[in-house]
Amino acid sequence: MNEMSRVATQVANVKLLIDGEFVESKSTQWRDVVNPATQVVLARVPFATADEVDAAVAAAKRAFVTWRKTPIGARARIFLKYQQLIRENMAELAAILTAEQGKTLPDAEGDVFRGLEVVEHAAAIGNLQLGELANNVAGGVDTYTLLQPLGVCAGITPFNFPAMIPLWMFPMAIATGNTFVLKPSEQDPMVTMRLVELALEAGVPKGVLNVVHGGEDVVNAICDHADIKAVSFVGSTRVGTHVYNRASLAGKRVQCMMGAKNHAVVLPDANKEQTLNALVGAAFGAAGQRCMAASTAVLVGDAQAWIPDLVARARTLKVNAGIEPGTDVGPVISCAARERVEGFIGDGVREGATLELDGRKPDVAGYENGNFIGPTIFSGVTPGMRIYDEEIFGPVLVLLTAESLDAAIALINANPNGNGTALFTQSGAAARRFQEEIDVGQVGINVPIPVPVPLFSFTGSRASKLGDLGPYGKQVVMFYTQTKTVTQRWFDDDTLHVGVNTTISLK
């Protein structure tokens, strides 16, 4: 038995949540949850058995019978309480997240806070789940619509936002009257489980929220299960495509938010200081492990002269463990992730890009075993190079050039991904042209990471998204409900008989 395995036997096991109870899995397959800054084992997470997945779904199905009829105000009040509990426990949640995922403490709080915004949105479900009515569509006939819950829904979440993305999913699903089975990332499930504990404390009833852990087998079981009506996924393109195809084939409603290559276009008239700060923060924050990271910058015209300033700004970032004050860039999630990113950097050099700043093997005193990569910048990058064509998912910024805004737009539109893009300029005309002509679902103007607040929906597009409805906002209410249209007529006792009507018209 290796040292890591010996340590693992002394730590707590992450539980499943089935029918309102946190239970020990009977699985024989477990994975260590490892602090990426130290390699210390924090916990063990089970890969749930088929019977345990079935039990979670069965509990959700039983709970749906009564939960769907719970008054909408009662559902809303649970999420009012839930948002209060999240706020009260913010520091604890951020500390757990930092320990298992590696983010800096301020970034971890941001992770929780962006999820909290969706919880607050769920508390307004009374205004969001309204139907429509048309009076007197024919003589004495009214038509109205109801937005009714689907049943048991499920969510599969990634490692990079273990608080925010679960909170994108189960609060809106539950608030709209569904029950839910959640599968968090097996790499960092601890903060998710603490959020689940708080949800139960807020009043989510027995069986309405269930949690199973695992890998591919559990994902497939969720996709195939006949009693699950909808599946929401956020993660890699490879897994997301598999989930979409498999769950769709099983007749489920599916939404998959997947990988991306997000371009930031810099025009020469942009505010230089603000733009440099925005690029550095968006490229290297969270160690580049964001699906919305600005991992690619397109420097237009004279903005190409800004490369030395950009490199100098990136050099000022502090690489360290997330718990250390002043840290800007923490570790990537795992040893395998670090090796993968280092492989990309080596490929970039071999393919002829200019390595302006090399972040491999930074010196991080006291954390020599951590999965650290410092800010890395390549210039002279062109389509066809692996560092441009693939999502690196690490603190690596690649720089391309274009002679005009039109050329930059054509470059971005030729890329298969459409998650997000940004333009830095002081020209309103250029900004308007960019937002009109760019074929990307989420656009920032002088905003490097244009993730919308929950009043709006997350709207990534093209190869970054499968399914036509996005998470949170108005679209997710439609995703988690089905529309029922009722056409009705009532007769008074003394109403004259209208006679037989053999046409399709209403009279």
Side-chain angles (χ1 to χ4, degrees), residues 37-38 98 102-106 318-331 364-367 372:
T38 63
T98 293
K103 291 185 180 184
T104 66
L105 283 170
K318 180 180 179 181
V319 180
N320 209 330
I323 61 170
E324 297 295 340
T327 297
D328 299 300
V329 181
V364 184
Y367 296 94
F372 294 101

Side-chain angles (χ1 to χ4, degrees), residues 306-324:
W306 295 8
I307 293 176
D309 302 283
L310 184 60
V311 172
R313 194 68 50 94
R315 288 186 190 276
T316 66
L317 298 185
K318 180 180 179 181
V319 180
N320 209 330
I323 61 170
E324 297 295 340

Side-chain angles (χ1 to χ4, degrees), residues 389 412-418 461-464:
D389 292 346
I412 296 169
N413 286 348
N415 190 283
N417 294 295
S461 62
R462 294 195 283 151
S464 296

Side-chain angles (χ1 to χ4, degrees), residues 184-412:
S185 170
E186 64 276 17
Q187 297 190 74
D188 49 6
M190 295 167 61
V191 70
T192 308
M193 295 308 294
R194 182 66 183 119
L195 285 166
V196 167
E197 291 174 358
L198 294 176
L200 298 191
E201 185 179 340
V204 172
K206 172 183 175 180
V208 170
L209 175 60
N210 303 270
V211 183
V212 293
H213 305 285
E216 183 178 357
D217 289 345
V218 174
V219 169
N220 289 341
I222 288 171
C223 292
D224 296 342
H225 205 293
D227 289 329
I228 292 177
K229 305 303 181 184
V231 177
S232 181
F233 170 89
V234 176
S236 72
T237 296
R238 180 185 64 82
V239 179
T241 302
H242 170 79
V243 168
Y244 184 82
N245 291 336
R246 188 156 184 154
S248 296
L249 187 64
K252 303 184 191 331
R253 188 176 291 182
V254 193
Q255 59 175 205
C256 292
M257 306 299 119
M258 305 183 298
K261 198 71 171 181
N262 305 306
H263 299 74
V265 177
V266 181
L267 297 186
D269 71 337
N271 182 295
K272 187 173 182 179
E273 287 300 305
Q274 293 178 357
T275 300
L276 291 175
N277 287 335
L279 288 177
V280 169
F284 305 124
Q289 298 175 122
R290 295 170 176 153
C291 67
M292 289 291 292
S295 60
T296 305
V298 183
L299 307 179
V300 177
D302 292 343
Q304 297 169 29
W306 295 8
I307 293 176
D309 302 283
L310 184 60
V311 172
R313 194 68 50 94
R315 288 186 190 276
T316 66
L317 298 185
K318 180 180 179 181
V319 180
N320 209 330
I323 61 170
E324 297 295 340
T327 297
D328 299 300
V329 181
V332 294
I333 187 67
S334 65
C335 296
R338 187 197 71 238
E339 292 167 2
R340 180 176 180 273
V341 175
E342 290 174 344
F344 270 104
I345 296 171
D347 286 345
V349 173
R350 283 188 290 274
E351 291 178 331
T354 300
L355 185 57
E356 300 279 357
L357 180 61
D358 188 352
R360 289 173 291 186
K361 296 181 172 52
D363 182 15
V364 184
Y367 296 94
E368 288 77 12
N369 295 324
N371 307 319
F372 294 101
I373 301 174
T376 299
I377 297 177
F378 279 101
S379 65
V381 177
T382 59
M385 292 182 178
R386 184 173 179 241
I387 56 173
Y388 175 75
D389 292 346
E390 298 183 34
E391 186 176 27
I392 299 174
F393 225 63
V396 180
L397 174 63
V398 300
L399 305 178
L400 292 82
T401 61
E403 292 308 310
S404 67
L405 177 59
D406 287 339
I409 291 172
L411 172 71
I412 296 169

